Amino acid sequence: MANVVVVGSQWGDEGKGKIVDWLSERADVVVRFQGGHNAGHTLVIDGVSYKLSLLPSGVVRPGKLAVIGNGVVLDPHALAGEIERLAVQGVVVTPDTLRIAENCALILSLHRELDALREASTSGTRIGTTKRGIGPAYEDKVGRRAIRLMDLADLEGLKGKIERLLVHHNALRRGLGEPEISPAAIYDELASIADKVLPYMDTVWRVLDTARREGRRILFEGAQGALLDIDHGTYPFVTSSNTVAGAAASGSGVGPSALHYVLGITKAYTTRVGEGPFPTEQFDEIGDFLGTRGHEFGTVTGRKRRCGWFDAVLVRQTIRTAGITGIALTKLDVLDGLDEIKICVGYRLDGREIDYLPASQAAQARVEPIYETVEGWRETTAGARSWAELPAQAIKYVRHVEELIGAPVALLSTSPERDDTILVEDPFQD
């Protein structure tokens, strides 16, 4: 059976929730492989909205196994809270439906505090994070001092690991003029939640290997977008994990040969949340139009998203760095009613034309978009479920996007409703 990786091809917020839910109905296992509860998406099922920020989409589908892989940084209190909120909506999460990698690094209160302190600083360290402790938790993981999920099963041994962690963090806090944290406070924080999260712990790489050998379909669900990748994104205005498709292997414990199809979720225009470069951002009535029509507010933070025209240069680049096989083009209906639509087809940097986004922060800030203008359409695309229902100019727009980015449209989304989807190529097809 084919296994599918879903990644965002822009800066996140491309509408992955609906597409992942659409695909998860056909999958047997749904895996989160990176990020934390800083990313989120909304699923609409039978008129009911489910807002998820940490749990894989599969948890709301009966008969599916949801998996949180080792590449995720896990806030155990946030996890427990999300499980409780779903229970209120009638979705009961049990160890039969959710497994969490024993070697997941944990997010602690000290990570959230450090994140917020840095974001409040005026020393040039502000990135525009969600202040949920994601970056500091990854720092501790790489620094080999993280507390991992399995450590909660050995509370006596946990004490020494906490002391080691605090040698680093209390030195930071002293430098920031903040009071030190006692080992007892962190111990109590973790001991109080251990019984709520340990029942879900498992050796995830073995779970996935067994599922793969049994021929079960696995859907790997990425968070954020490829342009927020710690290596390949708009550094330093990025997240703290690898968001490209290759991370699905290392972040869950499967080999790269287990990844068969990479679906890049791509918005028909461009948005981003937080700081950083955005070549096609529009500060005029077009930006307002896209934001209002597209309801562009973050699922997790509620922050207003920055909006602009479709940037074919960026998507073409992420298709290569993320190994995207085909794209799911979302929110086409937001462009309904525009007389003309612009597409960025290149950049001008210091007087010369280039066809990629340079890695340098300074160069990224200087690039100027080169636009191509195409005819818009007055008819509506909202709710279309076949090519025959689309206006001719809308079809031309989609086909032109395919040409510019060098990848086919596998799915086309025309509204937030999961059934308002045109299937061109089935990612799960063997």
Side-chain angles (χ1 to χ4, degrees), residues 60-72:
V60 300
R61 290 276 170 200
K64 311 296 180 184
L65 176 62
V67 172
I68 295 177
N70 57 274
V72 173

Side-chain angles (χ1 to χ4, degrees), residues 26 30 36 61 64-65 192 198 251 277 327 339 368 410 422 426:
R26 305 194 57 223
V30 183
R61 290 276 170 200
K64 311 296 180 184
L65 176 62
S192 68
L198 283 175
I327 69 167
D339 291 325
E368 301 173 3
I422 300 172
D426 183 359

Side-chain angles (χ1 to χ4, degrees), residues 83-157:
I83 289 173
E84 289 171 4
R85 288 192 295 275
L86 283 180
V88 172
Q89 292 186 279
V91 178
V92 179
V93 180
T94 72
D96 290 329
T97 59
L98 173 66
R99 307 285 175 82
I100 306 174
E102 59 189 354
N103 51 340
C104 263
L106 300 184
I107 299 174
L108 312 180
S109 58
L110 56 80
H111 294 129
R112 295 192 297 273
E113 290 175 21
L114 179 58
D115 205 353
L117 287 168
R118 287 171 171 168
E119 285 298 295
S121 170
T122 58
S123 63
T125 59
R126 190 171 188 274
I127 299 296
T129 77
T130 56
K131 304 177 186 177
R132 299 197 170 201
I134 311 300
Y138 274 116
E139 289 176 35
D140 283 343
K141 176 181 177 179
V142 174
R144 295 167 291 189
R145 55 182 171 265
I147 305 298
R148 301 192 292 177
L149 180 59
M150 66 178 76
D151 295 330
L152 303 189
D154 177 16
L155 292 179
E156 190 59 37

